[in-house]
Amino acid sequence: MTTLAALALGPAWLDPDQLIGAFGLVGVLVIVYAESGLLVGFFLPGDSLLFTTGLLVASGRLGGVPLWAVCALIVLAAVAGDQTGYLFGRKVGPALFTRPDSRLFRRENVERAHGFFAAYGRKSLVLARFVPVVRTFVPVIAGVSRMEYRTFVVFNVVGGVLWGAGVTLLGAALGRIGFVHRHIEALLVLIVVVSVLPIAVELLRARARRARRAGGTEGVPGSEAAGPLGGAARLGGGGARHPEEEP
């Protein structure tokens, strides 16, 4: 692995090709499930793993399992992961926002996902699938906010299909092209860079919003409640909903 690939893809043990080689399709499904809704799975490779899985299926290097079966299993794992995150969020509620930081948990990840959920409402369950870290925490935030369960299931399935099957099929389609095989590391780095762009944009926008608040609301009582934790605190009790979800 080149230095650039190592920086983008993380340590060697997180390299998608090595993970699939060591654990096969079962490992892919476990990782997809964990990254989709378990708080400890946010650091796992997602897009690059699915792309590599599709590429290996196309080249016959995944035990001969047909592409349709691989896609179906990945979608099921993704939907089940979000389901687990949602149920966990409903159970822990706003207490998640006061949980102390640890090696595998950072409140800033929850706050970022809360901001994403507040901005996009139900659509965040689909859009977040394509954003690393955020895709792990958004279903939990949906549970904390007590999103209507039927609505959650619909958007959960749509997002699971578009992301799980879509990225895998893209890898399978491009995997038949010789150029892709010759430059697979560069392509995986590109996928990682593209996938983290929304986070970079959101961080810049959040910084700009904080600067505007600091300049326009400094000294105004209660203005500090406008931040992610202030919004999270209002998710308790009756379970506030995003405007899109009002009857």
Side-chain angles (χ1 to χ4, degrees), residues 88-139:
F88 177 78
R90 283 185 71 95
K91 181 176 181 180
V92 301
L96 181 67
F97 288 85
T98 59
R99 178 177 174 179
D101 287 346
S102 65
R103 291 184 63 185
L104 293 177
F105 178 82
R106 291 288 183 274
R107 284 200 308 272
E108 64 184 36
N109 291 331
V110 179
E111 294 165 7
R112 184 183 304 156
H114 173 256
F116 196 92
F117 182 79
Y120 297 105
R122 296 170 294 184
K123 296 190 294 290
S124 65
L125 292 168
V126 177
L127 300 175
R129 289 284 190 180
F130 300 89
V131 184
V133 180
V134 173
R135 65 169 150 254
T136 304
F137 289 89
V138 160

mmCIF file of all heavy atoms in Angstrom, residues 88-139:
data_model
loop_
_atom_site.group_PDB
_atom_site.id
_atom_site.type_symbol
_atom_site.label_atom_id
_atom_site.label_comp_id
_atom_site.label_asym_id
_atom_site.label_seq_id
_atom_site.Cartn_x
_atom_site.Cartn_y
_atom_site.Cartn_z
ATOM 1 N N PHE A 88 -31.580 1.372 19.707
ATOM 2 C CA PHE A 88 -30.665 1.823 20.762
ATOM 3 C C PHE A 88 -30.944 3.282 21.110
ATOM 4 O O PHE A 88 -30.975 3.663 22.280
ATOM 5 C CB PHE A 88 -29.218 1.654 20.300
ATOM 6 C CG PHE A 88 -28.208 2.160 21.277
ATOM 7 C CD1 PHE A 88 -27.870 1.428 22.402
ATOM 8 C CD2 PHE A 88 -27.581 3.389 21.073
ATOM 9 C CE1 PHE A 88 -26.927 1.910 23.316
ATOM 10 C CE2 PHE A 88 -26.644 3.872 21.970
ATOM 11 C CZ PHE A 88 -26.314 3.126 23.095
ATOM 12 N N GLY A 89 -31.159 4.111 20.085
ATOM 13 C CA GLY A 89 -31.445 5.519 20.316
ATOM 14 C C GLY A 89 -32.735 5.731 21.091
ATOM 15 O O GLY A 89 -32.806 6.588 21.975
ATOM 16 N N ARG A 90 -33.756 4.957 20.783
ATOM 17 C CA ARG A 90 -35.017 5.069 21.518
ATOM 18 C C ARG A 90 -34.841 4.687 22.989
ATOM 19 O O ARG A 90 -35.500 5.240 23.874
ATOM 20 C CB ARG A 90 -36.082 4.169 20.880
ATOM 21 C CG ARG A 90 -36.686 4.707 19.606
ATOM 22 C CD ARG A 90 -37.819 3.814 19.117
ATOM 23 N NE ARG A 90 -38.980 3.930 19.993
ATOM 24 C CZ ARG A 90 -40.013 4.741 19.782
ATOM 25 N NH1 ARG A 90 -40.015 5.525 18.706
ATOM 26 N NH2 ARG A 90 -41.029 4.775 20.608
ATOM 27 N N LYS A 91 -33.935 3.747 23.236
ATOM 28 C CA LYS A 91 -33.736 3.282 24.607
ATOM 29 C C LYS A 91 -32.939 4.280 25.437
ATOM 30 O O LYS A 91 -33.290 4.578 26.582
ATOM 31 C CB LYS A 91 -33.037 1.923 24.603
ATOM 32 C CG LYS A 91 -32.816 1.356 25.995
ATOM 33 C CD LYS A 91 -32.204 -0.035 25.942
ATOM 34 C CE LYS A 91 -32.005 -0.612 27.349
ATOM 35 N NZ LYS A 91 -31.414 -1.972 27.321
ATOM 36 N N VAL A 92 -31.845 4.804 24.878
ATOM 37 C CA VAL A 92 -30.967 5.672 25.670
ATOM 38 C C VAL A 92 -31.456 7.114 25.704
ATOM 39 O O VAL A 92 -31.206 7.839 26.666
ATOM 40 C CB VAL A 92 -29.511 5.621 25.156
ATOM 41 C CG1 VAL A 92 -28.978 4.211 25.217
ATOM 42 C CG2 VAL A 92 -29.398 6.185 23.743
ATOM 43 N N GLY A 93 -32.150 7.555 24.634
ATOM 44 C CA GLY A 93 -32.692 8.903 24.608
ATOM 45 C C GLY A 93 -31.627 9.983 24.670
ATOM 46 O O GLY A 93 -30.453 9.761 24.344
ATOM 47 N N PRO A 94 -32.000 11.187 25.118
ATOM 48 C CA PRO A 94 -31.059 12.322 25.168
ATOM 49 C C PRO A 94 -29.836 12.084 26.034
ATOM 50 O O PRO A 94 -28.880 12.846 25.956
ATOM 51 C CB PRO A 94 -31.926 13.452 25.757
ATOM 52 C CG PRO A 94 -33.327 13.071 25.423
ATOM 53 C CD PRO A 94 -33.365 11.570 25.509
ATOM 54 N N ALA A 95 -29.856 11.041 26.885
ATOM 55 C CA ALA A 95 -28.686 10.759 27.717
ATOM 56 C C ALA A 95 -27.449 10.505 26.868
ATOM 57 O O ALA A 95 -26.318 10.663 27.340
ATOM 58 C CB ALA A 95 -28.959 9.541 28.603
ATOM 59 N N LEU A 96 -27.659 10.136 25.596
ATOM 60 C CA LEU A 96 -26.530 9.890 24.701
ATOM 61 C C LEU A 96 -25.672 11.137 24.555
ATOM 62 O O LEU A 96 -24.451 11.045 24.390
ATOM 63 C CB LEU A 96 -27.050 9.444 23.332
ATOM 64 C CG LEU A 96 -26.014 9.111 22.265
ATOM 65 C CD1 LEU A 96 -25.236 7.862 22.658
ATOM 66 C CD2 LEU A 96 -26.682 8.895 20.912
ATOM 67 N N PHE A 97 -26.304 12.320 24.628
ATOM 68 C CA PHE A 97 -25.578 13.570 24.419
ATOM 69 C C PHE A 97 -24.754 13.984 25.628
ATOM 70 O O PHE A 97 -23.963 14.913 25.552
ATOM 71 C CB PHE A 97 -26.561 14.682 24.047
ATOM 72 C CG PHE A 97 -27.118 14.551 22.661
ATOM 73 C CD1 PHE A 97 -28.224 13.758 22.423
ATOM 74 C CD2 PHE A 97 -26.537 15.215 21.599
ATOM 75 C CE1 PHE A 97 -28.746 13.621 21.153
ATOM 76 C CE2 PHE A 97 -27.041 15.093 20.322
ATOM 77 C CZ PHE A 97 -28.156 14.280 20.100
ATOM 78 N N THR A 98 -24.966 13.337 26.760
ATOM 79 C CA THR A 98 -24.171 13.650 27.953
ATOM 80 C C THR A 98 -23.217 12.517 28.309
ATOM 81 O O THR A 98 -22.549 12.568 29.333
ATOM 82 C CB THR A 98 -25.102 13.920 29.154
ATOM 83 O OG1 THR A 98 -25.928 12.772 29.395
ATOM 84 C CG2 THR A 98 -25.985 15.127 28.882
ATOM 85 N N ARG A 99 -23.176 11.508 27.453
ATOM 86 C CA ARG A 99 -22.264 10.385 27.699
ATOM 87 C C ARG A 99 -20.817 10.866 27.584
ATOM 88 O O ARG A 99 -20.473 11.583 26.643
ATOM 89 C CB ARG A 99 -22.538 9.280 26.681
ATOM 90 C CG ARG A 99 -21.636 8.067 26.793
ATOM 91 C CD ARG A 99 -22.041 7.014 25.785
ATOM 92 N NE ARG A 99 -21.118 5.887 25.765
ATOM 93 C CZ ARG A 99 -21.256 4.818 24.990
ATOM 94 N NH1 ARG A 99 -22.293 4.724 24.187
ATOM 95 N NH2 ARG A 99 -20.373 3.838 25.024
ATOM 96 N N PRO A 100 -19.955 10.508 28.521
ATOM 97 C CA PRO A 100 -18.559 10.985 28.467
ATOM 98 C C PRO A 100 -17.799 10.376 27.291
ATOM 99 O O PRO A 100 -18.106 9.265 26.841
ATOM 100 C CB PRO A 100 -17.975 10.525 29.804
ATOM 101 C CG PRO A 100 -18.833 9.368 30.227
ATOM 102 C CD PRO A 100 -20.211 9.686 29.726
ATOM 103 N N ASP A 101 -16.827 11.120 26.806
ATOM 104 C CA ASP A 101 -15.993 10.630 25.711
ATOM 105 C C ASP A 101 -15.160 9.432 26.169
ATOM 106 O O ASP A 101 -14.805 9.310 27.346
ATOM 107 C CB ASP A 101 -15.046 11.727 25.219
ATOM 108 C CG ASP A 101 -15.775 12.798 24.429
ATOM 109 O OD1 ASP A 101 -16.938 12.563 24.050
ATOM 110 O OD2 ASP A 101 -15.184 13.870 24.201
ATOM 111 N N SER A 102 -14.874 8.559 25.211
ATOM 112 C CA SER A 102 -14.002 7.417 25.474
ATOM 113 C C SER A 102 -13.192 7.156 24.218
ATOM 114 O O SER A 102 -13.259 7.919 23.251
ATOM 115 C CB SER A 102 -14.831 6.181 25.855
ATOM 116 O OG SER A 102 -15.638 5.771 24.762
ATOM 117 N N ARG A 103 -12.439 6.077 24.207
ATOM 118 C CA ARG A 103 -11.606 5.780 23.046
ATOM 119 C C ARG A 103 -12.450 5.544 21.798
ATOM 120 O O ARG A 103 -12.031 5.866 20.688
ATOM 121 C CB ARG A 103 -10.751 4.537 23.310
ATOM 122 C CG ARG A 103 -9.659 4.758 24.354
ATOM 123 C CD ARG A 103 -8.786 3.531 24.496
ATOM 124 N NE ARG A 103 -8.078 3.217 23.269
ATOM 125 C CZ ARG A 103 -7.323 2.150 23.077
ATOM 126 N NH1 ARG A 103 -7.178 1.279 24.076
ATOM 127 N NH2 ARG A 103 -6.715 1.941 21.935
ATOM 128 N N LEU A 104 -13.644 4.982 21.955
ATOM 129 C CA LEU A 104 -14.485 4.654 20.811
ATOM 130 C C LEU A 104 -15.733 5.517 20.717
ATOM 131 O O LEU A 104 -16.572 5.297 19.857
ATOM 132 C CB LEU A 104 -14.897 3.171 20.866
ATOM 133 C CG LEU A 104 -13.769 2.161 20.682
ATOM 134 C CD1 LEU A 104 -14.297 0.742 20.834
ATOM 135 C CD2 LEU A 104 -13.094 2.337 19.313
ATOM 136 N N PHE A 105 -15.849 6.521 21.580
ATOM 137 C CA PHE A 105 -17.037 7.368 21.541
ATOM 138 C C PHE A 105 -16.639 8.824 21.704
ATOM 139 O O PHE A 105 -15.896 9.180 22.616
ATOM 140 C CB PHE A 105 -18.018 6.973 22.651
ATOM 141 C CG PHE A 105 -19.240 7.845 22.700
ATOM 142 C CD1 PHE A 105 -20.308 7.608 21.856
ATOM 143 C CD2 PHE A 105 -19.309 8.912 23.585
ATOM 144 C CE1 PHE A 105 -21.432 8.422 21.887
ATOM 145 C CE2 PHE A 105 -20.426 9.738 23.623
ATOM 146 C CZ PHE A 105 -21.486 9.474 22.766
ATOM 147 N N ARG A 106 -17.158 9.653 20.807
ATOM 148 C CA ARG A 106 -16.946 11.091 20.881
ATOM 149 C C ARG A 106 -18.299 11.783 20.724
ATOM 150 O O ARG A 106 -19.016 11.535 19.754
ATOM 151 C CB ARG A 106 -15.992 11.570 19.775
ATOM 152 C CG ARG A 106 -14.552 11.101 19.962
ATOM 153 C CD ARG A 106 -13.888 11.838 21.123
ATOM 154 N NE ARG A 106 -12.488 11.470 21.291
ATOM 155 C CZ ARG A 106 -12.056 10.439 21.992
ATOM 156 N NH1 ARG A 106 -12.934 9.646 22.595
ATOM 157 N NH2 ARG A 106 -10.780 10.171 22.105
ATOM 158 N N ARG A 107 -18.628 12.661 21.653
ATOM 159 C CA ARG A 107 -19.913 13.363 21.573
ATOM 160 C C ARG A 107 -19.999 14.205 20.306
ATOM 161 O O ARG A 107 -21.087 14.437 19.785
ATOM 162 C CB ARG A 107 -20.122 14.253 22.803
ATOM 163 C CG ARG A 107 -20.506 13.485 24.051
ATOM 164 C CD ARG A 107 -21.169 14.405 25.069
ATOM 165 N NE ARG A 107 -20.388 15.601 25.346
ATOM 166 C CZ ARG A 107 -19.447 15.676 26.275
ATOM 167 N NH1 ARG A 107 -19.155 14.609 27.002
ATOM 168 N NH2 ARG A 107 -18.788 16.788 26.481
ATOM 169 N N GLU A 108 -18.850 14.668 19.811
ATOM 170 C CA GLU A 108 -18.880 15.503 18.616
ATOM 171 C C GLU A 108 -19.448 14.740 17.427
ATOM 172 O O GLU A 108 -20.098 15.335 16.553
ATOM 173 C CB GLU A 108 -17.478 16.012 18.281
ATOM 174 C CG GLU A 108 -16.479 14.923 17.907
ATOM 175 C CD GLU A 108 -15.084 15.473 17.675
ATOM 176 O OE1 GLU A 108 -14.690 16.416 18.383
ATOM 177 O OE2 GLU A 108 -14.406 14.956 16.797
ATOM 178 N N ASN A 109 -19.254 13.405 17.371
ATOM 179 C CA ASN A 109 -19.845 12.611 16.293
ATOM 180 C C ASN A 109 -21.365 12.588 16.401
ATOM 181 O O ASN A 109 -22.080 12.655 15.396
ATOM 182 C CB ASN A 109 -19.304 11.187 16.331
ATOM 183 C CG ASN A 109 -17.838 11.110 15.959
ATOM 184 O OD1 ASN A 109 -17.340 11.928 15.190
ATOM 185 N ND2 ASN A 109 -17.123 10.144 16.512
ATOM 186 N N VAL A 110 -21.872 12.497 17.635
ATOM 187 C CA VAL A 110 -23.321 12.513 17.849
ATOM 188 C C VAL A 110 -23.884 13.876 17.475
ATOM 189 O O VAL A 110 -24.932 13.981 16.822
ATOM 190 C CB VAL A 110 -23.647 12.172 19.319
ATOM 191 C CG1 VAL A 110 -25.145 12.219 19.560
ATOM 192 C CG2 VAL A 110 -23.110 10.801 19.679
ATOM 193 N N GLU A 111 -23.190 14.929 17.878
ATOM 194 C CA GLU A 111 -23.659 16.278 17.579
ATOM 195 C C GLU A 111 -23.654 16.538 16.074
ATOM 196 O O GLU A 111 -24.563 17.192 15.539
ATOM 197 C CB GLU A 111 -22.785 17.291 18.316
ATOM 198 C CG GLU A 111 -22.933 17.215 19.836
ATOM 199 C CD GLU A 111 -21.829 17.957 20.568
ATOM 200 O OE1 GLU A 111 -21.022 18.635 19.897
ATOM 201 O OE2 GLU A 111 -21.767 17.853 21.806
ATOM 202 N N ARG A 112 -22.641 16.037 15.389
ATOM 203 C CA ARG A 112 -22.576 16.202 13.940
ATOM 204 C C ARG A 112 -23.748 15.487 13.267
ATOM 205 O O ARG A 112 -24.389 16.019 12.364
ATOM 206 C CB ARG A 112 -21.253 15.642 13.422
ATOM 207 C CG ARG A 112 -21.030 15.855 11.930
ATOM 208 C CD ARG A 112 -19.726 15.190 11.501
ATOM 209 N NE ARG A 112 -18.605 15.684 12.287
ATOM 210 C CZ ARG A 112 -17.486 15.014 12.485
ATOM 211 N NH1 ARG A 112 -17.358 13.783 11.999
ATOM 212 N NH2 ARG A 112 -16.507 15.531 13.176
ATOM 213 N N ALA A 113 -24.036 14.272 13.728
ATOM 214 C CA ALA A 113 -25.153 13.520 13.165
ATOM 215 C C ALA A 113 -26.479 14.199 13.490
ATOM 216 O O ALA A 113 -27.396 14.218 12.662
ATOM 217 C CB ALA A 113 -25.154 12.086 13.701
ATOM 218 N N HIS A 114 -26.577 14.765 14.693
ATOM 219 C CA HIS A 114 -27.803 15.481 15.060
ATOM 220 C C HIS A 114 -28.019 16.672 14.143
ATOM 221 O O HIS A 114 -29.146 16.943 13.703
ATOM 222 C CB HIS A 114 -27.734 15.947 16.513
ATOM 223 C CG HIS A 114 -28.887 16.828 16.908
ATOM 224 N ND1 HIS A 114 -28.753 18.189 17.028
ATOM 225 C CD2 HIS A 114 -30.187 16.542 17.167
ATOM 226 C CE1 HIS A 114 -29.933 18.710 17.358
ATOM 227 N NE2 HIS A 114 -30.806 17.734 17.449
ATOM 228 N N GLY A 115 -26.952 17.407 13.844
ATOM 229 C CA GLY A 115 -27.063 18.531 12.925
ATOM 230 C C GLY A 115 -27.480 18.087 11.535
ATOM 231 O O GLY A 115 -28.295 18.739 10.871
ATOM 232 N N PHE A 116 -26.944 16.956 11.084
ATOM 233 C CA PHE A 116 -27.289 16.406 9.775
ATOM 234 C C PHE A 116 -28.767 16.013 9.765
ATOM 235 O O PHE A 116 -29.498 16.295 8.817
ATOM 236 C CB PHE A 116 -26.405 15.186 9.493
ATOM 237 C CG PHE A 116 -26.391 14.750 8.053
ATOM 238 C CD1 PHE A 116 -25.439 15.231 7.169
ATOM 239 C CD2 PHE A 116 -27.330 13.846 7.581
ATOM 240 C CE1 PHE A 116 -25.409 14.819 5.855
ATOM 241 C CE2 PHE A 116 -27.318 13.435 6.261
ATOM 242 C CZ PHE A 116 -26.353 13.921 5.392
ATOM 243 N N PHE A 117 -29.229 15.369 10.837
ATOM 244 C CA PHE A 117 -30.615 14.929 10.932
ATOM 245 C C PHE A 117 -31.556 16.129 10.977
ATOM 246 O O PHE A 117 -32.617 16.140 10.342
ATOM 247 C CB PHE A 117 -30.798 14.065 12.180
ATOM 248 C CG PHE A 117 -32.184 13.524 12.362
ATOM 249 C CD1 PHE A 117 -32.618 12.427 11.632
ATOM 250 C CD2 PHE A 117 -33.050 14.101 13.268
ATOM 251 C CE1 PHE A 117 -33.906 11.934 11.793
ATOM 252 C CE2 PHE A 117 -34.329 13.614 13.444
ATOM 253 C CZ PHE A 117 -34.758 12.518 12.698
ATOM 254 N N ALA A 118 -31.164 17.159 11.737
ATOM 255 C CA ALA A 118 -31.997 18.351 11.838
ATOM 256 C C ALA A 118 -32.097 19.080 10.497
ATOM 257 O O ALA A 118 -33.123 19.675 10.175
ATOM 258 C CB ALA A 118 -31.434 19.293 12.910
ATOM 259 N N ALA A 119 -31.029 19.034 9.711
ATOM 260 C CA ALA A 119 -31.009 19.740 8.436
ATOM 261 C C ALA A 119 -31.820 19.028 7.361
ATOM 262 O O ALA A 119 -32.480 19.663 6.539
ATOM 263 C CB ALA A 119 -29.566 19.915 7.968
ATOM 264 N N TYR A 120 -31.793 17.686 7.349
ATOM 265 C CA TYR A 120 -32.393 16.948 6.242
ATOM 266 C C TYR A 120 -33.603 16.098 6.642
ATOM 267 O O TYR A 120 -34.245 15.504 5.779
ATOM 268 C CB TYR A 120 -31.341 16.049 5.590
ATOM 269 C CG TYR A 120 -30.199 16.820 4.979
ATOM 270 C CD1 TYR A 120 -28.950 16.866 5.595
ATOM 271 C CD2 TYR A 120 -30.375 17.530 3.799
ATOM 272 C CE1 TYR A 120 -27.902 17.588 5.057
ATOM 273 C CE2 TYR A 120 -29.327 18.259 3.242
ATOM 274 C CZ TYR A 120 -28.099 18.280 3.881
ATOM 275 O OH TYR A 120 -27.069 19.002 3.330
ATOM 276 N N GLY A 121 -33.902 16.008 7.936
ATOM 277 C CA GLY A 121 -35.081 15.259 8.355
ATOM 278 C C GLY A 121 -35.034 13.804 7.933
ATOM 279 O O GLY A 121 -34.013 13.141 8.043
ATOM 280 N N ARG A 122 -36.158 13.306 7.430
ATOM 281 C CA ARG A 122 -36.250 11.899 7.046
ATOM 282 C C ARG A 122 -35.247 11.531 5.962
ATOM 283 O O ARG A 122 -34.729 10.416 5.929
ATOM 284 C CB ARG A 122 -37.677 11.590 6.587
ATOM 285 C CG ARG A 122 -38.709 11.736 7.686
ATOM 286 C CD ARG A 122 -40.115 11.661 7.156
ATOM 287 N NE ARG A 122 -40.442 12.795 6.288
ATOM 288 C CZ ARG A 122 -41.643 13.016 5.757
ATOM 289 N NH1 ARG A 122 -42.621 12.181 6.003
ATOM 290 N NH2 ARG A 122 -41.850 14.061 4.995
ATOM 291 N N LYS A 123 -34.970 12.484 5.059
ATOM 292 C CA LYS A 123 -34.036 12.214 3.955
ATOM 293 C C LYS A 123 -32.637 11.917 4.469
ATOM 294 O O LYS A 123 -31.826 11.325 3.751
ATOM 295 C CB LYS A 123 -34.005 13.398 2.987
ATOM 296 C CG LYS A 123 -35.306 13.674 2.265
ATOM 297 C CD LYS A 123 -35.125 14.694 1.163
ATOM 298 C CE LYS A 123 -34.751 16.054 1.698
ATOM 299 N NZ LYS A 123 -35.865 16.710 2.421
ATOM 300 N N SER A 124 -32.341 12.340 5.712
ATOM 301 C CA SER A 124 -30.999 12.105 6.246
ATOM 302 C C SER A 124 -30.688 10.617 6.344
ATOM 303 O O SER A 124 -29.525 10.210 6.266
ATOM 304 C CB SER A 124 -30.852 12.752 7.628
ATOM 305 O OG SER A 124 -31.707 12.126 8.569
ATOM 306 N N LEU A 125 -31.715 9.777 6.500
ATOM 307 C CA LEU A 125 -31.499 8.328 6.589
ATOM 308 C C LEU A 125 -30.988 7.769 5.266
ATOM 309 O O LEU A 125 -30.335 6.718 5.246
ATOM 310 C CB LEU A 125 -32.797 7.626 6.990
ATOM 311 C CG LEU A 125 -33.270 7.915 8.411
ATOM 312 C CD1 LEU A 125 -34.682 7.417 8.611
ATOM 313 C CD2 LEU A 125 -32.327 7.284 9.430
ATOM 314 N N VAL A 126 -31.303 8.447 4.173
ATOM 315 C CA VAL A 126 -30.795 8.041 2.863
ATOM 316 C C VAL A 126 -29.462 8.716 2.582
ATOM 317 O O VAL A 126 -28.478 8.065 2.226
ATOM 318 C CB VAL A 126 -31.810 8.387 1.754
ATOM 319 C CG1 VAL A 126 -31.254 8.022 0.374
ATOM 320 C CG2 VAL A 126 -33.137 7.658 1.988
ATOM 321 N N LEU A 127 -29.406 10.036 2.769
ATOM 322 C CA LEU A 127 -28.196 10.787 2.450
ATOM 323 C C LEU A 127 -27.019 10.389 3.325
ATOM 324 O O LEU A 127 -25.878 10.319 2.856
ATOM 325 C CB LEU A 127 -28.478 12.294 2.598
ATOM 326 C CG LEU A 127 -29.576 12.872 1.705
ATOM 327 C CD1 LEU A 127 -29.834 14.328 2.052
ATOM 328 C CD2 LEU A 127 -29.201 12.730 0.236
ATOM 329 N N ALA A 128 -27.288 10.115 4.607
ATOM 330 C CA ALA A 128 -26.200 9.792 5.534
ATOM 331 C C ALA A 128 -25.505 8.493 5.182
ATOM 332 O O ALA A 128 -24.362 8.272 5.592
ATOM 333 C CB ALA A 128 -26.744 9.713 6.971
ATOM 334 N N ARG A 129 -26.172 7.622 4.443
ATOM 335 C CA ARG A 129 -25.540 6.365 4.037
ATOM 336 C C ARG A 129 -24.235 6.606 3.291
ATOM 337 O O ARG A 129 -23.320 5.791 3.340
ATOM 338 C CB ARG A 129 -26.491 5.578 3.126
ATOM 339 C CG ARG A 129 -27.700 4.998 3.818
ATOM 340 C CD ARG A 129 -27.325 3.780 4.613
ATOM 341 N NE ARG A 129 -28.489 3.053 5.105
ATOM 342 C CZ ARG A 129 -28.418 1.953 5.829
ATOM 343 N NH1 ARG A 129 -27.245 1.466 6.169
ATOM 344 N NH2 ARG A 129 -29.503 1.334 6.231
ATOM 345 N N PHE A 130 -24.141 7.730 2.614
ATOM 346 C CA PHE A 130 -22.975 8.015 1.783
ATOM 347 C C PHE A 130 -21.965 8.918 2.480
ATOM 348 O O PHE A 130 -21.033 9.404 1.843
ATOM 349 C CB PHE A 130 -23.433 8.652 0.461
ATOM 350 C CG PHE A 130 -24.352 7.775 -0.337
ATOM 351 C CD1 PHE A 130 -25.722 7.813 -0.140
ATOM 352 C CD2 PHE A 130 -23.840 6.868 -1.260
ATOM 353 C CE1 PHE A 130 -26.570 6.993 -0.867
ATOM 354 C CE2 PHE A 130 -24.674 6.035 -1.982
ATOM 355 C CZ PHE A 130 -26.045 6.094 -1.782
ATOM 356 N N VAL A 131 -22.161 9.143 3.802
ATOM 357 C CA VAL A 131 -21.250 10.011 4.548
ATOM 358 C C VAL A 131 -20.645 9.215 5.702
ATOM 359 O O VAL A 131 -21.365 8.837 6.636
ATOM 360 C CB VAL A 131 -21.985 11.249 5.106
ATOM 361 C CG1 VAL A 131 -20.988 12.183 5.797
ATOM 362 C CG2 VAL A 131 -22.721 11.974 3.990
ATOM 363 N N PRO A 132 -19.338 8.931 5.664
ATOM 364 C CA PRO A 132 -18.708 8.174 6.755
ATOM 365 C C PRO A 132 -18.959 8.819 8.108
ATOM 366 O O PRO A 132 -19.099 10.034 8.216
ATOM 367 C CB PRO A 132 -17.219 8.210 6.386
ATOM 368 C CG PRO A 132 -17.195 8.436 4.918
ATOM 369 C CD PRO A 132 -18.376 9.307 4.615
ATOM 370 N N VAL A 133 -18.966 8.020 9.160
ATOM 371 C CA VAL A 133 -19.208 8.421 10.542
ATOM 372 C C VAL A 133 -20.666 8.834 10.738
ATOM 373 O O VAL A 133 -21.368 8.286 11.592
ATOM 374 C CB VAL A 133 -18.267 9.554 11.014
ATOM 375 C CG1 VAL A 133 -18.566 9.918 12.470
ATOM 376 C CG2 VAL A 133 -16.810 9.146 10.862
ATOM 377 N N VAL A 134 -21.150 9.788 9.931
ATOM 378 C CA VAL A 134 -22.530 10.246 10.061
ATOM 379 C C VAL A 134 -23.503 9.097 9.850
ATOM 380 O O VAL A 134 -24.515 8.993 10.548
ATOM 381 C CB VAL A 134 -22.817 11.394 9.064
ATOM 382 C CG1 VAL A 134 -24.301 11.759 9.069
ATOM 383 C CG2 VAL A 134 -21.983 12.619 9.410
ATOM 384 N N ARG A 135 -23.203 8.195 8.900
ATOM 385 C CA ARG A 135 -24.140 7.094 8.630
ATOM 386 C C ARG A 135 -24.284 6.157 9.829
ATOM 387 O O ARG A 135 -25.287 5.473 9.957
ATOM 388 C CB ARG A 135 -23.712 6.304 7.398
ATOM 389 C CG ARG A 135 -22.417 5.552 7.501
ATOM 390 C CD ARG A 135 -22.234 4.590 6.315
ATOM 391 N NE ARG A 135 -20.821 4.430 6.011
ATOM 392 C CZ ARG A 135 -20.222 4.972 4.956
ATOM 393 N NH1 ARG A 135 -20.917 5.699 4.104
ATOM 394 N NH2 ARG A 135 -18.934 4.803 4.752
ATOM 395 N N THR A 136 -23.277 6.128 10.704
ATOM 396 C CA THR A 136 -23.360 5.282 11.892
ATOM 397 C C THR A 136 -24.276 5.888 12.948
ATOM 398 O O THR A 136 -24.996 5.166 13.647
ATOM 399 C CB THR A 136 -21.954 5.078 12.491
ATOM 400 O OG1 THR A 136 -21.087 4.532 11.489
ATOM 401 C CG2 THR A 136 -22.001 4.129 13.680
ATOM 402 N N PHE A 137 -24.268 7.218 13.066
ATOM 403 C CA PHE A 137 -24.967 7.866 14.169
ATOM 404 C C PHE A 137 -26.364 8.365 13.828
ATOM 405 O O PHE A 137 -27.190 8.521 14.735
ATOM 406 C CB PHE A 137 -24.114 9.041 14.681
ATOM 407 C CG PHE A 137 -22.876 8.608 15.416
ATOM 408 C CD1 PHE A 137 -21.690 8.379 14.738
ATOM 409 C CD2 PHE A 137 -22.891 8.405 16.782
ATOM 410 C CE1 PHE A 137 -20.547 7.970 15.398
ATOM 411 C CE2 PHE A 137 -21.755 7.997 17.464
ATOM 412 C CZ PHE A 137 -20.580 7.777 16.773
ATOM 413 N N VAL A 138 -26.658 8.621 12.554
ATOM 414 C CA VAL A 138 -27.974 9.171 12.201
ATOM 415 C C VAL A 138 -29.133 8.260 12.613
ATOM 416 O O VAL A 138 -30.137 8.745 13.150
ATOM 417 C CB VAL A 138 -28.035 9.524 10.698
ATOM 418 C CG1 VAL A 138 -29.479 9.618 10.212
ATOM 419 C CG2 VAL A 138 -27.334 10.856 10.458
ATOM 420 N N PRO A 139 -29.072 6.929 12.373
ATOM 421 C CA PRO A 139 -30.197 6.103 12.841
ATOM 422 C C PRO A 139 -30.378 6.146 14.358
ATOM 423 O O PRO A 139 -31.499 6.048 14.861
ATOM 424 C CB PRO A 139 -29.832 4.690 12.367
ATOM 425 C CG PRO A 139 -28.367 4.718 12.102
ATOM 426 C CD PRO A 139 -28.081 6.108 11.646
#
